[in-house]
Amino acid sequence: MTISIITATIDGERSLDYTLGSVSSQTYRDIEHLVVDGYSTDRTADIVARYPGVRMISRDRMGVYDALNFGVANTSGEIFGFLHCNDALASDDVIEAVAKAFADDPDLDFVYGDLQYVSPSTHRLGRIYHAEAFESSQLLGGVCPPHPTLYIRRSTAERIGEYVEDYRICGDFDMWLRLFGDKSLRCRYLPMIMVNMSTGGLSTRLRSRLYTNNVEKLKALRRNGLPAKPLLLLHKYLIVARDYVSDFIRRK
């Protein structure tokens, strides 16, 4: 079973080794790794060339969701997921666990797990984004599993449709709404930290989290025919606070 991993990047020479190295060290070997590059002007191509199993294609800079759709269209794995530049698979057996889940259940449509935030410069571990307690009803409050941990069967993605490209940061939330909105789909939570995600990206910036994130989530809810109530979106901040408290207790 080939699993495709798509990495979007623009001028990623400072962090691409971190990302590509985490894929090359996976115990599961049947991986197709594609880098979608926005015509970088730095040494991105040279770094990709160090990894013989990685293929790079260039694409005009038309937004992250355009890059993801382009990557999906140019890969062929039965299962696919995304690992952005400056993020890394959290351990060497992540893709092994993904492959086993799909192999054990031929009717499984998608999986997801936990994510840990890390410092972009030191890779120091921070808050864990816990997905174990997620329930689909929480989507109305803007809560969803961490998108970088999503691995989906290609046939399922073809049914659900590609990422909507007119979002800046919430095309993934729109995708979660469609995945969980189709009650015929089977999903599974993997009890492991799957991705180390660097802070400082577009979705983690303060303005994005407090304004763009909420505006676009309301838009996605309406687009999918669901109640869009601004006050309900406050629920996700309670989840974040809970995770901070949980991690503080864990580290003591």
Side-chain angles (χ1 to χ4, degrees):
M1 181 193 304
T2 300
I3 296 180
S4 299
I5 298 177
I6 298 156
T7 296
T9 186
I10 298 174
D11 295 331
E13 67 174 2
R14 293 184 178 180
S15 53
L16 200 51
D17 263 323
Y18 173 61
T19 302
L20 301 186
S22 75
V23 177
S24 68
S25 67
Q26 291 297 298
T27 55
Y28 190 79
R29 305 311 302 171
D30 193 359
I31 296 175
E32 175 190 31
H33 194 179
L34 175 68
V35 173
V36 179
D37 177 60
Y39 286 105
S40 294
T41 58
D42 62 1
R43 296 175 54 255
T44 289
D46 295 334
I47 294 171
V48 173
R50 298 175 190 165
Y51 297 85
V54 182
R55 180 165 56 98
M56 188 177 85
I57 54 177
S58 296
R59 176 75 164 171
D60 289 336
R61 302 179 185 186
M62 301 172 63
V64 62
Y65 298 111
D66 170 82
L68 300 191
N69 287 333
F70 188 67
V72 172
N74 283 275
T75 52
S76 59
E78 182 181 348
I79 313 298
F80 68 84
F82 306 100
L83 185 69
H84 297 311
C85 182
N86 211 26
D87 297 346
L89 295 172
S91 59
D92 292 347
D93 60 347
V94 170
I95 304 303
E96 189 84 47
V98 171
K100 185 177 187 306
F102 282 100
D104 288 348
D105 185 354
D107 295 322
L108 187 64
D109 291 289
F110 64 96
V111 301
Y112 60 91
D114 299 332
L115 173 149
Q116 186 153 34
Y117 291 102
V118 301
S119 164
S121 56
T122 65
H123 300 150
R124 182 175 181 272
L125 301 179
R127 176 174 70 90
I128 297 175
Y129 188 157
H130 297 278
E132 181 178 10
F134 171 77
E135 297 180 2
S136 59
S137 60
Q138 294 177 311
L139 289 165
L140 295 179
V143 178
C144 59
H147 181 252
T149 71
L150 171 65
Y151 283 82
I152 182 170
R153 197 177 294 276
R154 187 172 296 272
S155 58
T156 302
E158 290 170 352
R159 282 179 50 195
I160 293 297
E162 62 183 12
Y163 288 88
V164 179
E165 295 175 8
D166 61 6
Y167 295 101
R168 291 190 65 210
I169 61 174
C170 287
D172 49 350
F173 180 69
D174 181 273
M175 178 61 75
W176 285 122
L177 291 176
R178 285 181 279 150
L179 287 171
F180 284 104
D182 187 335
K183 301 305 180 184
S184 70
L185 299 184
R186 291 169 60 92
C187 67
R188 180 179 167 189
Y189 162 75
L190 301 183
M192 65 187 306
I193 297 174
M194 297 176 65
V195 174
N196 290 335
M197 178 179 174
S198 295
T199 58
L202 183 60
S203 65
T204 61
R205 294 172 188 167
L206 185 60
R207 175 178 170 80
S208 293
R209 295 184 68 176
L210 297 181
Y211 179 74
T212 308
N213 181 287
N214 290 325
V215 169
E216 290 198 344
K217 282 185 174 177
L218 291 172
K219 176 181 176 180
L221 287 165
R222 295 189 190 100
R223 174 174 267 157
N224 287 275
L226 296 168
K229 300 179 180 180
L231 288 179
L232 277 180
L233 297 186
L234 296 176
H235 179 64
K236 66 179 179 293
Y237 298 109
L238 296 178
I239 299 294
V240 172
R242 180 205 65 190
D243 286 349
Y244 273 118
V245 171
S246 174
D247 287 348
F248 175 77
I249 293 173
R250 176 175 56 86
R251 292 170 184 273
K252 287 188 67 176

mmCIF file of all heavy atoms in Angstrom, residues 36-81:
data_model
loop_
_atom_site.group_PDB
_atom_site.id
_atom_site.type_symbol
_atom_site.label_atom_id
_atom_site.label_comp_id
_atom_site.label_asym_id
_atom_site.label_seq_id
_atom_site.Cartn_x
_atom_site.Cartn_y
_atom_site.Cartn_z
ATOM 1 N N VAL A 36 5.646 20.266 -3.304
ATOM 2 C CA VAL A 36 5.049 21.260 -4.200
ATOM 3 C C VAL A 36 5.679 22.601 -3.852
ATOM 4 O O VAL A 36 5.437 23.155 -2.775
ATOM 5 C CB VAL A 36 3.521 21.315 -4.040
ATOM 6 C CG1 VAL A 36 2.931 22.378 -4.974
ATOM 7 C CG2 VAL A 36 2.898 19.954 -4.325
ATOM 8 N N ASP A 37 6.486 23.114 -4.752
ATOM 9 C CA ASP A 37 7.288 24.307 -4.481
ATOM 10 C C ASP A 37 6.761 25.511 -5.261
ATOM 11 O O ASP A 37 6.466 25.417 -6.454
ATOM 12 C CB ASP A 37 8.742 24.039 -4.873
ATOM 13 C CG ASP A 37 9.616 25.268 -4.694
ATOM 14 O OD1 ASP A 37 9.703 25.751 -3.548
ATOM 15 O OD2 ASP A 37 10.180 25.755 -5.690
ATOM 16 N N GLY A 38 6.668 26.637 -4.570
ATOM 17 C CA GLY A 38 6.177 27.863 -5.194
ATOM 18 C C GLY A 38 7.274 28.657 -5.869
ATOM 19 O O GLY A 38 7.421 29.855 -5.616
ATOM 20 N N TYR A 39 8.051 28.001 -6.726
ATOM 21 C CA TYR A 39 9.163 28.628 -7.431
ATOM 22 C C TYR A 39 10.090 29.367 -6.461
ATOM 23 O O TYR A 39 10.285 30.576 -6.542
ATOM 24 C CB TYR A 39 8.641 29.582 -8.522
ATOM 25 C CG TYR A 39 8.079 28.855 -9.712
ATOM 26 C CD1 TYR A 39 6.708 28.769 -9.918
ATOM 27 C CD2 TYR A 39 8.918 28.218 -10.632
ATOM 28 C CE1 TYR A 39 6.182 28.070 -11.010
ATOM 29 C CE2 TYR A 39 8.399 27.531 -11.723
ATOM 30 C CZ TYR A 39 7.034 27.466 -11.904
ATOM 31 O OH TYR A 39 6.524 26.781 -12.998
ATOM 32 N N SER A 40 10.643 28.608 -5.528
ATOM 33 C CA SER A 40 11.559 29.169 -4.537
ATOM 34 C C SER A 40 12.792 29.764 -5.202
ATOM 35 O O SER A 40 13.258 29.275 -6.239
ATOM 36 C CB SER A 40 11.987 28.083 -3.544
ATOM 37 O OG SER A 40 10.899 27.646 -2.767
ATOM 38 N N THR A 41 13.332 30.801 -4.577
ATOM 39 C CA THR A 41 14.540 31.451 -5.092
ATOM 40 C C THR A 41 15.755 31.127 -4.232
ATOM 41 O O THR A 41 16.843 31.668 -4.478
ATOM 42 C CB THR A 41 14.346 32.974 -5.157
ATOM 43 O OG1 THR A 41 14.029 33.466 -3.843
ATOM 44 C CG2 THR A 41 13.214 33.336 -6.110
ATOM 45 N N ASP A 42 15.592 30.262 -3.235
ATOM 46 C CA ASP A 42 16.720 29.885 -2.379
ATOM 47 C C ASP A 42 17.215 28.494 -2.786
ATOM 48 O O ASP A 42 17.082 28.103 -3.939
ATOM 49 C CB ASP A 42 16.309 29.946 -0.900
ATOM 50 C CG ASP A 42 15.195 28.968 -0.557
ATOM 51 O OD1 ASP A 42 14.762 28.222 -1.467
ATOM 52 O OD2 ASP A 42 14.771 28.918 0.603
ATOM 53 N N ARG A 43 17.776 27.755 -1.845
ATOM 54 C CA ARG A 43 18.385 26.449 -2.143
ATOM 55 C C ARG A 43 17.415 25.286 -1.927
ATOM 56 O O ARG A 43 17.835 24.146 -1.721
ATOM 57 C CB ARG A 43 19.626 26.269 -1.273
ATOM 58 C CG ARG A 43 20.743 27.271 -1.568
ATOM 59 C CD ARG A 43 21.908 27.125 -0.593
ATOM 60 N NE ARG A 43 22.419 25.773 -0.528
ATOM 61 C CZ ARG A 43 22.210 24.919 0.469
ATOM 62 N NH1 ARG A 43 21.479 25.292 1.512
ATOM 63 N NH2 ARG A 43 22.721 23.707 0.448
ATOM 64 N N THR A 44 16.130 25.542 -2.010
ATOM 65 C CA THR A 44 15.142 24.486 -1.798
ATOM 66 C C THR A 44 15.394 23.288 -2.708
ATOM 67 O O THR A 44 15.388 22.133 -2.264
ATOM 68 C CB THR A 44 13.721 25.035 -2.019
ATOM 69 O OG1 THR A 44 13.383 25.921 -0.933
ATOM 70 C CG2 THR A 44 12.697 23.919 -2.073
ATOM 71 N N ALA A 45 15.609 23.534 -3.997
ATOM 72 C CA ALA A 45 15.812 22.433 -4.944
ATOM 73 C C ALA A 45 17.040 21.607 -4.598
ATOM 74 O O ALA A 45 17.038 20.374 -4.739
ATOM 75 C CB ALA A 45 15.929 22.983 -6.362
ATOM 76 N N ASP A 46 18.110 22.263 -4.132
ATOM 77 C CA ASP A 46 19.329 21.550 -3.760
ATOM 78 C C ASP A 46 19.084 20.623 -2.576
ATOM 79 O O ASP A 46 19.623 19.510 -2.512
ATOM 80 C CB ASP A 46 20.442 22.537 -3.415
ATOM 81 C CG ASP A 46 20.882 23.371 -4.613
ATOM 82 O OD1 ASP A 46 20.712 22.892 -5.751
ATOM 83 O OD2 ASP A 46 21.373 24.497 -4.400
ATOM 84 N N ILE A 47 18.277 21.085 -1.634
ATOM 85 C CA ILE A 47 17.989 20.279 -0.451
ATOM 86 C C ILE A 47 17.137 19.075 -0.826
ATOM 87 O O ILE A 47 17.398 17.946 -0.389
ATOM 88 C CB ILE A 47 17.299 21.135 0.628
ATOM 89 C CG1 ILE A 47 18.265 22.203 1.140
ATOM 90 C CG2 ILE A 47 16.789 20.267 1.771
ATOM 91 C CD1 ILE A 47 17.646 23.232 2.046
ATOM 92 N N VAL A 48 16.129 19.287 -1.665
ATOM 93 C CA VAL A 48 15.291 18.169 -2.106
ATOM 94 C C VAL A 48 16.131 17.122 -2.825
ATOM 95 O O VAL A 48 15.925 15.910 -2.667
ATOM 96 C CB VAL A 48 14.151 18.676 -3.017
ATOM 97 C CG1 VAL A 48 13.386 17.502 -3.629
ATOM 98 C CG2 VAL A 48 13.195 19.581 -2.230
ATOM 99 N N ALA A 49 17.119 17.573 -3.580
ATOM 100 C CA ALA A 49 17.970 16.654 -4.352
ATOM 101 C C ALA A 49 18.783 15.718 -3.461
ATOM 102 O O ALA A 49 19.259 14.671 -3.924
ATOM 103 C CB ALA A 49 18.905 17.454 -5.259
ATOM 104 N N ARG A 50 18.949 16.072 -2.186
ATOM 105 C CA ARG A 50 19.679 15.204 -1.260
ATOM 106 C C ARG A 50 18.879 13.954 -0.898
ATOM 107 O O ARG A 50 19.425 12.995 -0.340
ATOM 108 C CB ARG A 50 20.012 15.958 0.031
ATOM 109 C CG ARG A 50 20.908 17.170 -0.134
ATOM 110 C CD ARG A 50 21.035 17.853 1.219
ATOM 111 N NE ARG A 50 21.672 19.159 1.123
ATOM 112 C CZ ARG A 50 21.638 20.073 2.093
ATOM 113 N NH1 ARG A 50 21.005 19.779 3.236
ATOM 114 N NH2 ARG A 50 22.227 21.240 1.949
ATOM 115 N N TYR A 51 17.588 13.975 -1.189
ATOM 116 C CA TYR A 51 16.696 12.879 -0.811
ATOM 117 C C TYR A 51 16.209 12.196 -2.089
ATOM 118 O O TYR A 51 15.246 12.653 -2.717
ATOM 119 C CB TYR A 51 15.528 13.403 0.012
ATOM 120 C CG TYR A 51 15.955 14.014 1.333
ATOM 121 C CD1 TYR A 51 16.370 15.341 1.403
ATOM 122 C CD2 TYR A 51 15.967 13.259 2.504
ATOM 123 C CE1 TYR A 51 16.788 15.898 2.609
ATOM 124 C CE2 TYR A 51 16.370 13.805 3.714
ATOM 125 C CZ TYR A 51 16.785 15.126 3.751
ATOM 126 O OH TYR A 51 17.187 15.677 4.947
ATOM 127 N N PRO A 52 16.847 11.112 -2.493
ATOM 128 C CA PRO A 52 16.551 10.478 -3.782
ATOM 129 C C PRO A 52 15.095 10.055 -3.953
ATOM 130 O O PRO A 52 14.585 10.019 -5.075
ATOM 131 C CB PRO A 52 17.481 9.255 -3.791
ATOM 132 C CG PRO A 52 18.581 9.603 -2.837
ATOM 133 C CD PRO A 52 17.938 10.440 -1.776
ATOM 134 N N GLY A 53 14.423 9.750 -2.857
ATOM 135 C CA GLY A 53 13.040 9.290 -2.971
ATOM 136 C C GLY A 53 12.018 10.398 -3.044
ATOM 137 O O GLY A 53 10.809 10.127 -3.120
ATOM 138 N N VAL A 54 12.467 11.651 -3.022
ATOM 139 C CA VAL A 54 11.544 12.785 -3.004
ATOM 140 C C VAL A 54 11.488 13.427 -4.387
ATOM 141 O O VAL A 54 12.515 13.667 -5.020
ATOM 142 C CB VAL A 54 11.968 13.837 -1.957
ATOM 143 C CG1 VAL A 54 10.972 14.987 -1.925
ATOM 144 C CG2 VAL A 54 12.086 13.188 -0.580
ATOM 145 N N ARG A 55 10.283 13.720 -4.841
ATOM 146 C CA ARG A 55 10.080 14.378 -6.132
ATOM 147 C C ARG A 55 9.587 15.795 -5.887
ATOM 148 O O ARG A 55 8.794 16.030 -4.967
ATOM 149 C CB ARG A 55 9.058 13.581 -6.947
ATOM 150 C CG ARG A 55 8.732 14.123 -8.326
ATOM 151 C CD ARG A 55 7.998 13.052 -9.149
ATOM 152 N NE ARG A 55 6.807 12.584 -8.481
ATOM 153 C CZ ARG A 55 5.571 13.028 -8.750
ATOM 154 N NH1 ARG A 55 5.382 13.957 -9.673
ATOM 155 N NH2 ARG A 55 4.533 12.530 -8.110
ATOM 156 N N MET A 56 10.026 16.753 -6.678
ATOM 157 C CA MET A 56 9.590 18.139 -6.534
ATOM 158 C C MET A 56 8.976 18.639 -7.840
ATOM 159 O O MET A 56 9.515 18.395 -8.912
ATOM 160 C CB MET A 56 10.756 19.053 -6.144
ATOM 161 C CG MET A 56 10.320 20.472 -5.804
ATOM 162 S SD MET A 56 11.683 21.552 -5.254
ATOM 163 C CE MET A 56 12.305 22.114 -6.835
ATOM 164 N N ILE A 57 7.848 19.315 -7.720
ATOM 165 C CA ILE A 57 7.244 19.996 -8.852
ATOM 166 C C ILE A 57 6.948 21.428 -8.447
ATOM 167 O O ILE A 57 6.677 21.702 -7.274
ATOM 168 C CB ILE A 57 5.961 19.296 -9.348
ATOM 169 C CG1 ILE A 57 4.954 19.113 -8.207
ATOM 170 C CG2 ILE A 57 6.272 17.952 -9.995
ATOM 171 C CD1 ILE A 57 3.641 18.500 -8.638
ATOM 172 N N SER A 58 7.030 22.337 -9.399
ATOM 173 C CA SER A 58 6.812 23.750 -9.110
ATOM 174 C C SER A 58 5.417 24.176 -9.513
ATOM 175 O O SER A 58 4.817 23.624 -10.445
ATOM 176 C CB SER A 58 7.849 24.617 -9.827
ATOM 177 O OG SER A 58 9.149 24.330 -9.345
ATOM 178 N N ARG A 59 4.921 25.171 -8.801
ATOM 179 C CA ARG A 59 3.552 25.650 -9.005
ATOM 180 C C ARG A 59 3.517 27.133 -8.684
ATOM 181 O O ARG A 59 4.118 27.578 -7.705
ATOM 182 C CB ARG A 59 2.613 24.894 -8.062
ATOM 183 C CG ARG A 59 1.159 25.336 -8.068
ATOM 184 C CD ARG A 59 0.453 24.860 -9.300
ATOM 185 N NE ARG A 59 -1.010 24.935 -9.160
ATOM 186 C CZ ARG A 59 -1.846 24.730 -10.158
ATOM 187 N NH1 ARG A 59 -1.359 24.438 -11.368
ATOM 188 N NH2 ARG A 59 -3.140 24.789 -9.964
ATOM 189 N N ASP A 60 2.847 27.924 -9.516
ATOM 190 C CA ASP A 60 2.679 29.345 -9.211
ATOM 191 C C ASP A 60 2.038 29.509 -7.843
ATOM 192 O O ASP A 60 1.216 28.691 -7.427
ATOM 193 C CB ASP A 60 1.809 30.028 -10.268
ATOM 194 C CG ASP A 60 2.520 30.182 -11.600
ATOM 195 O OD1 ASP A 60 3.768 30.193 -11.598
ATOM 196 O OD2 ASP A 60 1.834 30.272 -12.627
ATOM 197 N N ARG A 61 2.375 30.567 -7.154
ATOM 198 C CA ARG A 61 1.899 30.790 -5.787
ATOM 199 C C ARG A 61 0.441 31.263 -5.816
ATOM 200 O O ARG A 61 0.144 32.446 -5.981
ATOM 201 C CB ARG A 61 2.787 31.820 -5.092
ATOM 202 C CG ARG A 61 4.248 31.386 -5.059
ATOM 203 C CD ARG A 61 5.150 32.408 -4.389
ATOM 204 N NE ARG A 61 6.550 32.022 -4.486
ATOM 205 C CZ ARG A 61 7.548 32.663 -3.888
ATOM 206 N NH1 ARG A 61 7.296 33.739 -3.147
ATOM 207 N NH2 ARG A 61 8.786 32.250 -4.031
ATOM 208 N N MET A 62 -0.460 30.317 -5.630
ATOM 209 C CA MET A 62 -1.895 30.596 -5.700
ATOM 210 C C MET A 62 -2.617 30.209 -4.409
ATOM 211 O O MET A 62 -3.826 30.008 -4.403
ATOM 212 C CB MET A 62 -2.499 29.866 -6.899
ATOM 213 C CG MET A 62 -1.886 30.258 -8.227
ATOM 214 S SD MET A 62 -2.433 29.220 -9.601
ATOM 215 C CE MET A 62 -4.194 29.586 -9.635
ATOM 216 N N GLY A 63 -1.858 30.089 -3.317
ATOM 217 C CA GLY A 63 -2.471 29.768 -2.034
ATOM 218 C C GLY A 63 -2.217 28.332 -1.624
ATOM 219 O O GLY A 63 -1.965 27.451 -2.453
ATOM 220 N N VAL A 64 -2.287 28.108 -0.313
ATOM 221 C CA VAL A 64 -1.922 26.801 0.238
ATOM 222 C C VAL A 64 -2.864 25.708 -0.243
ATOM 223 O O VAL A 64 -2.437 24.590 -0.546
ATOM 224 C CB VAL A 64 -1.877 26.851 1.783
ATOM 225 C CG1 VAL A 64 -3.230 27.181 2.377
ATOM 226 C CG2 VAL A 64 -1.352 25.522 2.349
ATOM 227 N N TYR A 65 -4.167 25.997 -0.360
ATOM 228 C CA TYR A 65 -5.098 24.936 -0.728
ATOM 229 C C TYR A 65 -5.003 24.590 -2.204
ATOM 230 O O TYR A 65 -5.260 23.449 -2.595
ATOM 231 C CB TYR A 65 -6.519 25.309 -0.304
ATOM 232 C CG TYR A 65 -6.597 25.463 1.201
ATOM 233 C CD1 TYR A 65 -6.788 26.706 1.795
ATOM 234 C CD2 TYR A 65 -6.406 24.366 2.039
ATOM 235 C CE1 TYR A 65 -6.810 26.853 3.170
ATOM 236 C CE2 TYR A 65 -6.414 24.500 3.419
ATOM 237 C CZ TYR A 65 -6.617 25.749 3.976
ATOM 238 O OH TYR A 65 -6.627 25.881 5.343
ATOM 239 N N ASP A 66 -4.603 25.543 -3.028
ATOM 240 C CA ASP A 66 -4.293 25.228 -4.413
ATOM 241 C C ASP A 66 -3.101 24.272 -4.469
ATOM 242 O O ASP A 66 -3.102 23.303 -5.239
ATOM 243 C CB ASP A 66 -3.974 26.504 -5.194
ATOM 244 C CG ASP A 66 -3.418 26.219 -6.585
ATOM 245 O OD1 ASP A 66 -4.225 25.960 -7.504
ATOM 246 O OD2 ASP A 66 -2.187 26.240 -6.747
ATOM 247 N N ALA A 67 -2.094 24.537 -3.641
ATOM 248 C CA ALA A 67 -0.905 23.673 -3.611
ATOM 249 C C ALA A 67 -1.265 22.263 -3.155
ATOM 250 O O ALA A 67 -0.757 21.273 -3.699
ATOM 251 C CB ALA A 67 0.156 24.274 -2.697
ATOM 252 N N LEU A 68 -2.151 22.157 -2.161
ATOM 253 C CA LEU A 68 -2.539 20.838 -1.678
ATOM 254 C C LEU A 68 -3.308 20.074 -2.745
ATOM 255 O O LEU A 68 -3.053 18.878 -2.976
ATOM 256 C CB LEU A 68 -3.379 20.966 -0.402
ATOM 257 C CG LEU A 68 -2.723 21.653 0.800
ATOM 258 C CD1 LEU A 68 -3.580 21.467 2.046
ATOM 259 C CD2 LEU A 68 -1.315 21.147 1.046
ATOM 260 N N ASN A 69 -4.258 20.735 -3.394
ATOM 261 C CA ASN A 69 -5.008 20.076 -4.464
ATOM 262 C C ASN A 69 -4.095 19.645 -5.601
ATOM 263 O O ASN A 69 -4.251 18.550 -6.165
ATOM 264 C CB ASN A 69 -6.094 21.015 -5.000
ATOM 265 C CG ASN A 69 -7.256 21.189 -4.044
ATOM 266 O OD1 ASN A 69 -7.548 20.301 -3.235
ATOM 267 N ND2 ASN A 69 -7.935 22.314 -4.119
ATOM 268 N N PHE A 70 -3.144 20.502 -5.946
ATOM 269 C CA PHE A 70 -2.192 20.189 -7.009
ATOM 270 C C PHE A 70 -1.350 18.980 -6.619
ATOM 271 O O PHE A 70 -1.061 18.107 -7.452
ATOM 272 C CB PHE A 70 -1.301 21.405 -7.264
ATOM 273 C CG PHE A 70 -0.395 21.283 -8.450
ATOM 274 C CD1 PHE A 70 -0.908 21.229 -9.737
ATOM 275 C CD2 PHE A 70 0.985 21.230 -8.293
ATOM 276 C CE1 PHE A 70 -0.064 21.120 -10.842
ATOM 277 C CE2 PHE A 70 1.831 21.139 -9.385
ATOM 278 C CZ PHE A 70 1.306 21.076 -10.667
ATOM 279 N N GLY A 71 -0.959 18.926 -5.354
ATOM 280 C CA GLY A 71 -0.179 17.788 -4.882
ATOM 281 C C GLY A 71 -0.964 16.494 -4.938
ATOM 282 O O GLY A 71 -0.441 15.457 -5.366
ATOM 283 N N VAL A 72 -2.214 16.534 -4.511
ATOM 284 C CA VAL A 72 -3.054 15.335 -4.563
ATOM 285 C C VAL A 72 -3.186 14.847 -6.003
ATOM 286 O O VAL A 72 -3.095 13.652 -6.286
ATOM 287 C CB VAL A 72 -4.445 15.630 -3.961
ATOM 288 C CG1 VAL A 72 -5.391 14.443 -4.194
ATOM 289 C CG2 VAL A 72 -4.334 15.922 -2.470
ATOM 290 N N ALA A 73 -3.392 15.781 -6.936
ATOM 291 C CA ALA A 73 -3.578 15.419 -8.342
ATOM 292 C C ALA A 73 -2.317 14.824 -8.965
ATOM 293 O O ALA A 73 -2.398 14.133 -9.987
ATOM 294 C CB ALA A 73 -4.021 16.643 -9.139
ATOM 295 N N ASN A 74 -1.171 15.079 -8.349
ATOM 296 C CA ASN A 74 0.099 14.618 -8.917
ATOM 297 C C ASN A 74 0.748 13.501 -8.098
ATOM 298 O O ASN A 74 1.949 13.243 -8.242
ATOM 299 C CB ASN A 74 1.063 15.793 -9.068
ATOM 300 C CG ASN A 74 0.727 16.668 -10.255
ATOM 301 O OD1 ASN A 74 1.133 16.384 -11.387
ATOM 302 N ND2 ASN A 74 -0.040 17.731 -10.021
ATOM 303 N N THR A 75 -0.037 12.866 -7.258
ATOM 304 C CA THR A 75 0.432 11.681 -6.543
ATOM 305 C C THR A 75 -0.512 10.529 -6.840
ATOM 306 O O THR A 75 -1.604 10.718 -7.381
ATOM 307 C CB THR A 75 0.492 11.927 -5.022
ATOM 308 O OG1 THR A 75 -0.783 12.442 -4.564
ATOM 309 C CG2 THR A 75 1.587 12.921 -4.671
ATOM 310 N N SER A 76 -0.100 9.335 -6.455
ATOM 311 C CA SER A 76 -0.894 8.162 -6.836
ATOM 312 C C SER A 76 -1.140 7.187 -5.699
ATOM 313 O O SER A 76 -1.765 6.140 -5.903
ATOM 314 C CB SER A 76 -0.197 7.419 -7.986
ATOM 315 O OG SER A 76 1.111 7.010 -7.590
ATOM 316 N N GLY A 77 -0.683 7.494 -4.488
ATOM 317 C CA GLY A 77 -0.856 6.572 -3.371
ATOM 318 C C GLY A 77 -2.315 6.331 -3.042
ATOM 319 O O GLY A 77 -3.153 7.227 -3.174
ATOM 320 N N GLU A 78 -2.608 5.122 -2.582
ATOM 321 C CA GLU A 78 -3.981 4.792 -2.179
ATOM 322 C C GLU A 78 -4.417 5.644 -0.995
ATOM 323 O O GLU A 78 -5.588 5.973 -0.843
ATOM 324 C CB GLU A 78 -4.069 3.307 -1.829
ATOM 325 C CG GLU A 78 -5.457 2.841 -1.440
ATOM 326 C CD GLU A 78 -5.498 1.370 -1.082
ATOM 327 O OE1 GLU A 78 -4.504 0.663 -1.353
ATOM 328 O OE2 GLU A 78 -6.509 0.929 -0.519
ATOM 329 N N ILE A 79 -3.452 6.008 -0.151
ATOM 330 C CA ILE A 79 -3.675 6.861 1.018
ATOM 331 C C ILE A 79 -2.793 8.085 0.861
ATOM 332 O O ILE A 79 -1.667 7.985 0.370
ATOM 333 C CB ILE A 79 -3.298 6.142 2.330
ATOM 334 C CG1 ILE A 79 -3.885 4.722 2.374
ATOM 335 C CG2 ILE A 79 -3.700 6.962 3.549
ATOM 336 C CD1 ILE A 79 -5.373 4.639 2.346
ATOM 337 N N PHE A 80 -3.269 9.248 1.296
ATOM 338 C CA PHE A 80 -2.394 10.423 1.258
ATOM 339 C C PHE A 80 -2.632 11.323 2.464
ATOM 340 O O PHE A 80 -3.687 11.298 3.101
ATOM 341 C CB PHE A 80 -2.549 11.217 -0.049
ATOM 342 C CG PHE A 80 -3.880 11.898 -0.228
ATOM 343 C CD1 PHE A 80 -4.133 13.143 0.337
ATOM 344 C CD2 PHE A 80 -4.890 11.314 -0.981
ATOM 345 C CE1 PHE A 80 -5.353 13.788 0.169
ATOM 346 C CE2 PHE A 80 -6.111 11.941 -1.164
ATOM 347 C CZ PHE A 80 -6.343 13.185 -0.583
ATOM 348 N N GLY A 81 -1.597 12.128 2.763
ATOM 349 C CA GLY A 81 -1.672 13.114 3.828
ATOM 350 C C GLY A 81 -0.700 14.235 3.510
ATOM 351 O O GLY A 81 0.007 14.211 2.501
#
